[in-house]
Amino acid sequence: MRSCSYLNKKTPLALLLDYDGTLAAIADNPKNTYMNVDVEKLLNQLAVHPQIFLSIISGRGLRDVQSRIGIKGITYAGNHGLEIESGDGTRHDYPLAAELKNHYAPMVKELIDNVQKNGAWVEDKTVSLTYHYRDVPADVSELQKKLAIRIIESHGYRTSQAHDAIEAKPPVNWHKGKASLLILKDRFGDDWADKIKVIFAGDDNTDEDAMRFLQGSSKTFRVAADPEIQTYADFRLPQQDLVEDLLKWIRKTYSD
């Protein structure tokens, strides 16, 4: 790692990681996405190290990502940071307007009724949702995608592009970047940048918010095979399996 001089075992590390596409390879269906055994072992080792604070920040629903990681006592953020639960069970849920909440269930139903077909499906995450169209035939994919976007936006939710999917999120000024700062401040105080080192790794556009907000006070890694992708990250990992090497480097640094 070119950034090897950044870490030292005497300084605590906050390790903030995305799940899909980062800790686990992207699967055709997110229900089939799992970490490999070696990554799972590394993550469990890092989670119990006294100098390492581990947090998983995912677009999945909070309970979903907790069940997939399966490590107790660490901080999890679900729905791109709209739901945060620390290791002691303390919650931070972004306050959404009642009117917006009332639009959520009708939006899910309208999507299911109109565009959950031809292999597409709606992932209901309670606070936000993802419309997956990876398996939709090319001749109807664009039409379904445009209709899904129109339905989502008609209910007042924002859309953003993901891996063969459309994310639908509440139109609030909150994202993985602000969630990362909240997590760090809650754990280490307002002067966290003077006390710790921070590493963040993610693989898609929603992770760029964290990379942007952590600029200058961390080292960030973008998993991206395409070298043309624009990123705020300090480093690129051209393959998802290189995240395992990143975790091994951290383990070695804090065990030497």
Side-chain angles (χ1 to χ4, degrees), residues 108-124:
V108 173
K109 184 179 186 305
E110 190 173 350
L111 286 167
I112 290 173
D113 290 345
N114 290 277
V115 291
Q116 184 165 278
K117 57 186 178 181
N118 299 318
W121 61 285
V122 177
E123 182 184 358
D124 180 357

Side-chain angles (χ1 to χ4, degrees), residues 118-176:
N118 299 318
W121 61 285
V122 177
E123 182 184 358
D124 180 357
K125 299 181 286 188
T126 308
V127 179
S128 70
L129 64 81
T130 305
Y131 176 67
H132 298 272
Y133 58 87
R134 179 187 298 268
D135 297 327
V136 178
D139 59 334
V140 293
S141 177
E142 192 63 24
L143 182 63
Q144 283 190 207
K145 175 182 170 182
K146 288 180 178 178
L147 179 54
I149 291 172
R150 189 157 64 246
I151 291 170
I152 291 165
E153 293 180 347
S154 73
H155 287 276
Y157 279 69
R158 289 178 183 161
T159 59
S160 61
Q161 186 66 48
H163 294 292
D164 294 318
I166 299 296
E167 299 277 5
K169 293 179 284 187
V172 295
N173 188 20
W174 193 256
H175 46 63
K176 285 188 178 183

Side-chain angles (χ1 to χ4, degrees), residues 181-232:
L181 295 184
L182 176 65
I183 289 167
L184 293 171
K185 288 178 181 178
D186 280 353
R187 177 63 179 83
F188 298 101
D190 290 340
D191 58 345
W192 60 268
D194 298 324
K195 298 177 179 177
I196 63 170
K197 302 293 186 178
V198 179
I199 285 179
F200 177 91
D203 76 303
D204 72 13
N205 292 336
T206 64
D207 297 306
E208 289 291 333
D209 290 318
M211 296 166 187
R212 176 166 54 94
F213 269 63
L214 292 170
Q215 274 188 318
S217 55
S218 69
K219 295 299 180 185
T220 57
F221 295 78
R222 172 72 188 259
V223 180
D226 183 357
E228 299 301 317
I229 287 179
Q230 297 296 307
T231 181
Y232 287 100

Side-chain angles (χ1 to χ4, degrees), residues 43-148:
L43 208 59
N44 276 273
Q45 291 171 342
L46 296 173
V48 297
H49 194 289
Q51 286 285 79
I52 297 175
F53 168 77
L54 177 62
S55 178
I56 309 300
I57 306 176
S58 173
R60 287 179 180 263
L62 181 64
R63 296 305 179 211
D64 184 10
V65 71
Q66 285 175 325
S67 68
R68 289 176 184 278
I69 297 292
I71 300 176
K72 295 182 179 180
I74 68 170
T75 296
Y76 291 91
N79 276 297
H80 308 285
L82 291 171
E83 307 172 287
I84 301 174
E85 187 170 290
S86 64
D88 64 4
T90 303
R91 292 273 308 214
H92 178 277
D93 294 282
Y94 190 91
L96 298 175
E99 182 180 358
L100 188 64
K101 290 181 180 179
N102 291 338
H103 271 276
Y104 184 79
M107 175 177 65
V108 173
K109 184 179 186 305
E110 190 173 350
L111 286 167
I112 290 173
D113 290 345
N114 290 277
V115 291
Q116 184 165 278
K117 57 186 178 181
N118 299 318
W121 61 285
V122 177
E123 182 184 358
D124 180 357
K125 299 181 286 188
T126 308
V127 179
S128 70
L129 64 81
T130 305
Y131 176 67
H132 298 272
Y133 58 87
R134 179 187 298 268
D135 297 327
V136 178
D139 59 334
V140 293
S141 177
E142 192 63 24
L143 182 63
Q144 283 190 207
K145 175 182 170 182
K146 288 180 178 178
L147 179 54

